[in-house]
Amino acid sequence: MKVPKLRRHKTRNKPYVRINGKQKYLAGKYTEKGADREALRSYAEFTVNFQKVVEPSSVMTVKDCYDKWVAFETDKYSNDRLAKKRLIRCSHRQVYRQLTPYFDRTFEEVSVADFECIRQAIAARGYAIGTLKDYWTQLTKLIKFSVARGLANPEVLVRMKVLPIINRQEYPDTTPRKTRDAVTNEQLSQTLPHLTDTVGTIIMLCLGTGGRPQEICDMRWQDIDKTKAIWEYRPEFHKGTWRESDRVIFLSEPMQRLLIQYEDNRLDPSNEYIFTGSESWALHNAKRYNYTPEECYATRPDNVTGRIDSRRVYQQIQRVCKRENIEPWTPYQCRHFFAEQMLAKLSERFVDNNGSDTLAIEAVSSMLGHKNVDITTVYAKRNERLGRDLLIETNIDIAAG
């Protein structure tokens, strides 16, 4: 890569170089008469450091690049959420599994055919097309990391871009995307009596608010605005946190009463999180061994403190479904239940008002936390009753010609 040339900012008389379309200012002055000694010295230092970074090292193997990338990612997400770190570790393991045959080579020795073999190996494991894209994205991050730090040649990225687009036509071994239906009333009536109060309350809130399971698990009183008739819960972390988007979950009066009732019966009201793993553990064992919740809570293990994770909610539901011979379902299906109920109400309003109510669909999208209204249509199902009603109301009459 060519070393950027020294430039002059005409207004500020400052020396700078342009890297990837951005200006990097250097020390010293650069006037119409030329650059002073300090500016030339800082540019010389920049040139030396730039060449060290850009020129790829021939001794760096794929294994060396992978180790440096994992260390960088681990440090980057050291203060992040547990769920995020778990997801990153899973991606690292997948990249490690696919790159193991190439660890003793450099990236310059990995050909286009090798990259295609890596893709085929991931697809052959029976993953969905979205999972294949996610794992390939992690591998791309590793390559970009290595290129940016001079551990690999930029030509490696060109080889990756030669590969075809990831879709079902190119990789038929991938499994089709699973459609997630809403949980049924029958499943709920059979499962809820066997859940602990903590998990049962979380499920009821998912059903009544449309919040994602982890958003409900992270609920704290300090994040809830109770000054309005409809409470507003703003999660500290949510799916769109990385893009700095706002997320509001509305709590209706029944949901407010449910929260207040649960708070009055809590075993540890001093904890900032409303739903904690220790309380769920104590309630579960009290129901299982016929002890009082207070006795179980006093003997709780140290590894169940803090807020409850959505994985625990999922695991408890799966255990109950298996033990009671109930059709398995997941907490996320409660979100689909809420969406379908809201969209069904929207359909009724559409018919009653004899026209489209775009504000209503935007309201449902807002409650679900969707950035784009088009995403909300994923939760919609074909409404044959609405179609018949619209056809009757339209009553198209074509005069015989």
Side-chain angles (χ1 to χ4, degrees):
M1 186 180 293
K2 186 177 180 181
V3 179
K5 69 177 182 178
L6 184 65
R7 299 172 182 265
R8 167 180 170 255
H9 193 286
K10 296 181 180 179
T11 304
R12 302 171 59 182
N13 288 330
K14 293 283 292 182
Y16 72 92
V17 293
R18 188 181 296 276
I19 305 175
N20 296 329
K22 295 184 179 181
Q23 295 177 354
K24 177 180 176 59
Y25 287 94
L26 305 175
K29 290 288 185 179
Y30 193 170
T31 62
E32 295 179 353
K33 298 180 180 179
D36 61 6
R37 182 176 300 178
E38 185 177 4
L40 294 175
R41 180 186 56 80
S42 60
Y43 179 66
E45 292 178 356
F46 166 80
T47 303
V48 173
N49 295 330
F50 183 82
Q51 290 175 341
K52 287 182 180 180
V53 172
V54 171
E55 291 180 0
S57 175
S58 58
V59 297
M60 279 294 180
T61 62
V62 173
K63 182 65 166 62
D64 296 332
C65 295
Y66 173 83
D67 291 338
K68 289 181 176 293
W69 175 64
V70 170
F72 171 79
E73 292 266 297
T74 303
D75 181 68
K76 179 180 179 181
Y77 296 104
S78 59
N79 298 324
D80 211 326
R81 296 281 304 280
L82 177 64
K84 180 69 173 179
K85 288 188 286 188
R86 189 184 302 116
L87 179 63
I88 292 299
R89 286 197 298 267
C90 179
S91 301
H92 291 171
R93 286 195 299 268
Q94 184 63 33
V95 173
Y96 180 91
R97 182 184 295 118
Q98 303 306 328
L99 287 180
T100 300
Y102 310 96
F103 271 170
D104 57 343
R105 308 187 197 177
T106 63
F107 272 117
E108 286 71 20
E109 298 172 342
V110 181
S111 63
V112 177
D114 293 329
F115 283 124
E116 178 61 24
C117 289
I118 293 175
R119 270 196 187 181
Q120 294 290 353
I122 300 175
R125 297 179 63 87
Y127 293 124
I129 198 71
T131 306
L132 174 58
K133 290 180 179 179
D134 292 339
Y135 286 147
W136 187 253
T137 300
Q138 294 300 320
L139 179 57
T140 305
K141 286 183 178 180
L142 166 60
I143 303 296
K144 289 182 177 180
F145 171 86
S146 303
V147 171
R149 284 153 182 80
L151 309 178
N153 197 294
E155 295 179 359
V156 182
L157 287 174
V158 179
R159 297 176 202 162
M160 298 185 71
K161 293 180 180 179
V162 173
L163 298 176
I165 299 175
I166 299 177
N167 52 38
R168 287 274 297 163
Q169 289 72 27
E170 290 289 341
Y171 303 96
D173 292 338
T174 56
T175 57
R177 182 177 181 180
K178 296 181 180 179
T179 57
R180 185 181 286 150
D181 296 327
V183 61
T184 63
N185 290 320
E186 182 181 1
Q187 290 173 312
L188 290 171
S189 61
Q190 294 175 347
T191 309
L192 286 176
H194 302 281
L195 301 177
T196 62
D197 291 344
T198 302
V199 175
T201 304
I202 291 174
I203 294 301
M204 294 300 294
L205 286 170
C206 289
L207 292 168
T209 64
R212 299 179 179 91
Q214 193 59 55
E215 293 173 343
I216 302 300
C217 292
D218 293 342
M219 187 175 287
R220 302 181 299 179
W221 283 112
Q222 64 199 57
D223 297 328
I224 302 176
D225 182 7
K226 298 184 289 185
T227 59
K228 303 176 183 178
I230 300 295
W231 292 357
E232 296 181 359
Y233 165 48
R234 300 176 184 272
E236 182 182 10
F237 299 100
H238 55 89
K239 190 176 181 179
T241 302
W242 64 275
R243 67 166 73 97
E244 299 182 355
S245 61
D246 194 18
R247 172 75 168 113
V248 182
I249 298 176
F250 300 101
L251 300 171
S252 60
E253 291 186 7
M255 298 298 104
Q256 297 173 19
R257 292 195 297 268
L258 181 66
L259 272 177
I260 294 174
Q261 180 182 357
Y262 178 80
E263 183 68 20
D264 293 339
N265 299 321
R266 286 192 62 184
L267 300 173
D268 184 16
S270 61
N271 198 301
E272 63 172 339
Y273 290 101
I274 299 177
F275 306 107
T276 63
S278 55
E279 291 174 291
S280 179
W281 180 90
L283 293 171
H284 170 72
N285 285 276
K287 182 181 293 187
R288 184 177 181 181
Y289 300 111
N290 294 325
Y291 290 115
T292 63
E294 290 75 14
E295 291 175 339
C296 292
Y297 187 75
T299 60
R300 67 190 183 277
D302 296 334
N303 61 343
V304 294
T305 57
R307 59 142 179 84
I308 191 172
D309 191 81
S310 59
R311 280 196 317 151
R312 306 302 179 189
V313 179
Y314 169 82
Q315 291 170 355
Q316 187 174 140
I317 293 175
Q318 298 307 304
R319 286 195 299 266
V320 170
C321 291
K322 183 178 181 179
R323 185 177 68 243
E324 303 297 330
N325 294 323
I326 305 171
E327 183 182 356
W329 56 280
T330 65
Y332 210 93
Q333 291 179 254
C334 299
R335 179 172 165 85
H336 285 254
F337 179 89
F338 173 83
E340 288 188 8
Q341 295 294 320
M342 293 294 103
L343 291 172
K345 187 66 177 178
L346 168 64
S347 300
E348 295 177 4
R349 180 176 296 186
F350 183 93
V351 175
D352 295 340
N353 296 345
N354 295 325
S356 174
D357 193 345
T358 56
L359 294 179
I361 188 71
E362 291 179 0
V364 176
S365 179
S366 174
M367 287 187 286
L368 294 174
H370 291 157
K371 183 180 178 181
N372 193 336
V373 179
D374 294 338
I375 304 176
T376 312
T377 58
V378 175
Y379 294 80
K381 290 187 175 181
R382 291 182 302 176
N383 195 327
E384 296 180 356
R385 182 189 61 82
L386 175 61
R388 288 194 298 268
D389 293 342
L390 290 176
L391 187 60
I392 294 174
E393 286 190 6
T394 306
N395 195 18
I396 301 176
D397 184 15
I398 302 177

